[in-house]
Amino acid sequence: MGDNGGVDHVVLLKVKEGTSEDDIQRLFEGIRSLNVIPGVVSVTVGPTFCESWMSDRRGGYTHALRIRLASKEALHVYQDHELHAKVIRECVKPILEIPPMALDWTGPELKGTKD
């Protein structure tokens, strides 16, 4: 499998019930700070949701993040970067109920058309 236009790194989190809003904001700020790591193209993080017209497919995960990286090599740099380790240690692990679910894949990022 080749490197086909970038890597998406997606993590699903189940935050402990009763986690303070301050701790959630610290999580978001920590995740967003990862955009300074070389090879990171974009970062997004937020709470999961389920609308009334949707089946609930969250599987208990309360928050999700996506990091878009330039390549598999950039993913390696990201995984080993001290800031990444610090964010996990200080912002993520303390508020998790269960271990996170993480997935990575390669592929081009296609933009939708705007109406």
Side-chain angles (χ1 to χ4, degrees):
M1 248 187 195
D3 217 348
N4 212 7
V7 172
D8 282 297
H9 173 67
V10 172
V11 182
L12 303 176
L13 308 171
K14 184 173 184 180
V15 172
K16 293 176 191 170
E17 196 171 320
T19 299
S20 74
E21 193 57 40
D22 286 346
D23 284 342
I24 297 293
Q25 286 308 310
R26 190 171 10 270
L27 169 71
F28 290 172
E29 290 167 10
I31 300 291
R32 290 178 184 132
S33 76
L34 299 172
N35 71 337
V36 302
I37 296 175
V40 171
V41 175
S42 63
V43 175
T44 184
V45 60
T48 60
F49 67 90
C50 182
E51 296 290 335
S52 60
W53 48 267
M54 299 166 67
S55 60
D56 191 346
R57 54 193 179 197
R58 295 174 290 178
Y61 292 102
T62 59
H63 295 78
L65 65 102
R66 181 187 70 117
I67 311 289
R68 180 75 176 171
L69 298 125
S71 64
K72 287 181 181 178
E73 293 76 20
L75 176 62
H76 192 181
V77 169
Y78 167 83
Q79 289 294 136
D80 291 345
H81 200 279
E82 176 54 34
L83 179 58
H84 178 248
K86 179 180 179 182
V87 168
I88 290 172
R89 186 175 58 250
E90 295 179 6
C91 304
V92 179
K93 278 190 176 180
I95 64 172
L96 289 187
E97 185 171 315
I98 61 173
M101 168 74 71
L103 300 166
D104 305 292
W105 69 90
T106 61
E109 185 171 36
L110 304 176
K111 305 287 184 186
T113 59
K114 295 182 180 180
D115 294 337

